[in-house]
Structure formats: structure tokens, C-alpha cells
Amino acid sequence: MTTLTEAYRAMAALVADLDGQHRRERAAYEQGYRDGHRNGWETGYGHAHHEMASHWARLAKHVRELARTRPYGELDQRRWDGHRADFAHPRPTDRQRLRLAAQARRSA
């Protein structure tokens, strides 16, 4: 019977401390929530930092590659086979092309 009485006393002590247990559980929950929020913030911040660093690395690579390209004037001259304003003017090789095309028609 002593063990049964001890069990009743232990249960009565637990019931009497029910408010204290609720306070401890609430404090543990709040502490866990704060810890989780802080850890989530730090993890998210780390991911964002890594993502921004990769974007900046790609942008820096692009800028370095642009710095190694030819000047616009040279690219424009290559594109239009001279200056853009002169593109519509006849070229010296145009007559030769027309002559070769006429010969090809005559021989066909």
C-alpha cells in the first residue's frame, strides 16, 4: 500500500504543479520558436548571400568578356563590309558578280 500511496502523492504533486508545467512548456515553445526563427533567418540570409554572389560572378564575367571584345566601330565596319552609310553604294566586286551571273545564264 505504501507504493500506491506514494503514487497518489506523486500524481497529486503533478496535478498541483500543472500551472507550472504549462509555464515551462510555453517558455520552451517560445524559446524553440525564437531559435527556429533565428536559425531560419541565418540560413535564408546565407542562401541569399550565396545566390547574390553567383549573380555577381556571372555579371563580372560578362563585363570582363565585354572588355575583351572589339570596339564598336570595328564591329560595325565588319558587319557592313565598310561603313554603314556606304552599304547601299555599288562595290567594285558587284560588276564582276553580275558578269559571272550573265556568263552562267548564257552557258546554261
Side-chain angles (χ1 to χ4, degrees):
M1 273 224 180
T2 54
T3 50
L4 195 54
T5 325
E6 291 171 5
Y8 287 142
R9 284 184 190 150
M11 285 189 281
L14 288 174
V15 170
D17 191 36
L18 196 55
D19 289 335
Q21 180 64 26
H22 285 181
R23 280 193 305 276
R24 287 188 297 276
E25 288 173 357
R26 176 118 179 122
Y29 175 80
E30 289 173 353
Q31 183 63 40
Y33 182 83
R34 283 192 299 271
D35 290 345
H37 186 270
R38 186 182 60 246
N39 289 337
W41 182 271
E42 290 170 358
T43 301
Y45 186 80
H47 287 305
H49 180 72
H50 178 71
E51 186 177 329
M52 285 186 283
S54 70
H55 285 297
W56 276 110
R58 278 189 278 142
L59 181 62
K61 180 182 175 197
H62 179 69
V63 168
R64 280 192 303 275
E65 289 171 357
L66 281 177
R68 293 182 187 122
T69 59
R70 300 186 185 277
Y72 178 76
E74 184 179 338
L75 293 175
D76 198 42
Q77 190 171 6
R78 282 179 164 192
R79 179 180 182 193
W80 298 103
D81 194 24
H83 295 287
R84 186 187 303 219
D86 299 332
F87 183 73
H89 299 148
R91 292 179 175 73
T93 56
D94 287 347
R95 290 189 183 133
Q96 182 182 2
R97 288 182 194 149
L98 290 173
R99 190 175 63 244
L100 290 174
Q103 286 175 359
R105 276 184 296 222
R106 276 183 272 164
S107 65

